[in-house]
Amino acid sequence: MHEFVHILEDVLLNAILVTGLVIIMMLMIEFVNISTKGKWFESLRQSKVGGVFLGGLLGLFPGCIGGFATVSLYSHKMLSFGALVAMMIVSSGDESFVMLAMFPSKALILFGILFVIGIVAGLVIDLCFPKKEVSKTSCGEEFAVHECDIEHHHPEGEACTEDCPHRSLKNFCNPGWRRLALLAGEIAFIAALAFGMLEHEHGAEGEGHAGLHIFDEYWINLIFAILSIFVVWFTVVSPRHFIEEHLWKHIIGHHLISIFCWTFGTLLVVETALNFLDISSWVSSNVPFMILLAALVGIIPESGPHLIFVTLFATGVIPFPVLLASSISQDGHSSLPLLAENKKSFVYAKSINVAVALIVGFVSYILF
């Protein structure tokens, strides 16, 4: 019982730390996206080769920003089917945030490999199916740049009067409870990083499984503490519309609870299994099955289920080919708008993703 309580405490600290780091990265990306008025995604109507590279680049953006943008451009016939496939191969959804938090250097190497595979696959698809098109579909609204973000007016047309439309300290004169709640969470997270409240013991070496070892690098905590300070600043000075619609409604409302629950649940299952079951030896002798399982689970158009493979890799239980197959096959929930509006294209694209994941996964396993 005491050992399980220790595992529960260890997992809770890890889940809070992972969730905090992921949310900080999401808040940063949301801020940059709105600050640039969505110009990240304005490179339209390029050549098919350029479109495939654009799809691959958009897939590199952590989370669903680049995925939603690519699906939107594809559904409006501004990007090719190959560009869509490239994005879906490169993108790892919200798991990319978690991988950057858990094993940043290896995550960057993985993203580079995914980009190369995605570009090659996209170009081959466009060469084989040069006229593949779909009708227009609706786009995801989560990352929309609203009129108030661009023109500083409400959708009805009247000027914004309840707060300053620009980033200004005046916006903190009437902060609102959502802004205060965000600030409280951000400051608490900075304090936790600064005072080592989220650090924990993993046990002595040589005593069986020694914990997850996710955040041994001090500089990671230092970097995110600095980023968190910047997040505090733009939370203070940003307009209420940005705080309530983009940060609170989107990041907190759509992602926070989901990320924490999936992270906590997955870490608890994995850590418990690693401590009480000898799954390492089973997995090591069943890597081909794990590659197949990872590729099939990747069909699910949702962030969360794929976190099991990220966590198993972070603990050293599964080899890189399994994580690679999982990352190729899955794209978080970037393809959900495509599934909702054009199921045929979704099935085609996912089938290609699974096939590429299996081929690359098994080849890399055999070679390395």
Side-chain angles (χ1 to χ4, degrees):
M1 183 64 182
H2 177 72
E3 187 174 1
F4 181 75
V5 172
H6 180 73
I7 292 173
L8 192 63
E9 179 185 0
D10 191 60
V11 167
L12 180 61
L13 289 175
N14 270 304
I16 293 174
L17 188 50
V18 169
T19 303
L21 298 182
V22 169
I23 292 300
I24 289 299
M25 285 187 279
M26 286 185 168
L27 292 174
M28 290 286 296
I29 287 182
E30 187 78 15
F31 176 74
V32 174
N33 184 48
I34 298 303
S35 297
T36 61
K37 300 181 176 65
K39 291 182 180 179
W40 271 0
F41 313 122
E42 287 186 357
S43 301
L44 310 179
R45 299 190 181 280
Q46 302 182 25
S47 67
K48 283 199 171 183
V49 173
V52 169
F53 274 89
L54 176 61
L57 289 173
L58 291 175
L60 284 175
F61 285 105
C64 52
I65 294 180
F68 284 161
T70 305
V71 171
S72 174
L73 298 178
Y74 168 69
S75 64
H76 288 87
K77 301 181 181 180
M78 294 180 178
L79 286 179
S80 66
F81 184 68
L84 176 71
V85 170
M87 179 279 294
M88 292 175 68
I89 288 176
V90 177
S91 176
S92 296
D94 292 346
E95 278 76 8
S96 56
F97 288 114
V98 179
M99 287 188 282
L100 285 170
M102 285 185 166
F103 39 87
S105 58
K106 293 179 181 179
L108 293 176
I109 295 174
L110 172 65
F111 297 159
I113 295 173
L114 292 175
F115 181 76
V116 173
I117 295 173
I119 296 302
V120 172
L123 293 175
V124 171
I125 291 299
D126 278 349
L127 181 64
C128 297
F129 305 98
K131 296 183 179 180
K132 179 66 179 175
E133 293 180 349
V134 296
S135 58
K136 292 184 179 181
T137 62
S138 61
C139 311
E141 296 295 329
E142 285 81 354
F143 288 93
V145 179
H146 302 154
E147 185 178 352
C148 211
D149 297 315
I150 301 176
E151 301 296 338
H152 306 308
H153 284 74
H154 287 301
E156 292 80 4
E158 68 271 16
C160 297
T161 56
E162 68 268 25
D163 61 348
C164 179
H166 306 282
R167 290 188 292 276
S168 171
L169 287 173
K170 294 179 181 179
N171 290 316
F172 197 65
C173 295
N174 183 22
W177 70 269
R178 294 177 180 85
R179 190 193 304 266
L180 293 177
L182 281 170
L183 286 172
E186 292 160 5
I187 293 172
F189 185 66
I190 293 174
L193 289 178
F195 292 102
M197 297 170 63
L198 297 178
E199 295 179 1
H200 48 281
E201 296 294 331
H202 296 288
E205 289 186 22
E207 296 180 358
H209 180 253
L212 295 176
H213 291 283
I214 294 176
F215 299 107
D216 291 334
E217 299 90 346
Y218 171 76
W219 65 269
I220 295 179
N221 286 353
L222 180 62
I223 288 174
F224 279 99
I226 296 172
L227 289 177
S228 299
I229 294 174
F230 180 72
V231 171
V232 168
W233 172 79
F234 71 70
T235 301
V236 169
V237 301
S238 293
R240 178 178 295 181
H241 171 83
F242 175 74
I243 296 296
E244 295 186 355
E245 293 297 321
H246 295 279
L247 298 191
W248 187 267
K249 184 178 178 180
H250 175 216
I251 302 299
I252 303 302
H254 288 186
H255 292 285
L256 177 62
I257 295 178
S258 175
I259 290 172
F260 177 80
C261 290
W262 273 107
T263 302
F264 179 82
T266 302
L267 291 176
L268 182 61
V269 170
V270 171
E271 186 74 359
T272 302
L274 290 174
N275 276 273
F276 297 103
L277 301 174
D278 187 19
I279 67 171
S280 298
S281 60
W282 183 88
V283 170
S284 63
S285 60
N286 290 276
V287 173
F289 173 77
M290 294 298 294
I291 292 174
L292 175 62
L293 181 63
L296 294 178
V297 171
I299 297 174
I300 302 173
E302 182 60 68
S303 289
H306 323 289
L307 191 59
I308 183 70
F309 300 103
V310 175
T311 307
L312 288 173
F313 178 77
T315 60
V317 174
I318 61 173
F320 185 75
V322 179
L323 179 66
L324 181 59
S326 173
S327 301
I328 292 173
S329 181
Q330 70 101 357
D331 49 60
H333 53 268
S334 296
S335 58
L336 273 179
L338 185 66
L339 174 63
E341 298 295 337
N342 197 301
K343 296 174 177 59
K344 187 175 182 180
S345 288
F346 175 85
V347 171
Y348 283 158
K350 273 295 184 181
S351 298
I352 293 171
N353 278 21
V354 171
V356 173
L358 291 174
I359 293 171
V360 173
F362 283 119
V363 169
S364 61
Y365 170 64
I366 293 172
L367 295 179
F368 305 103

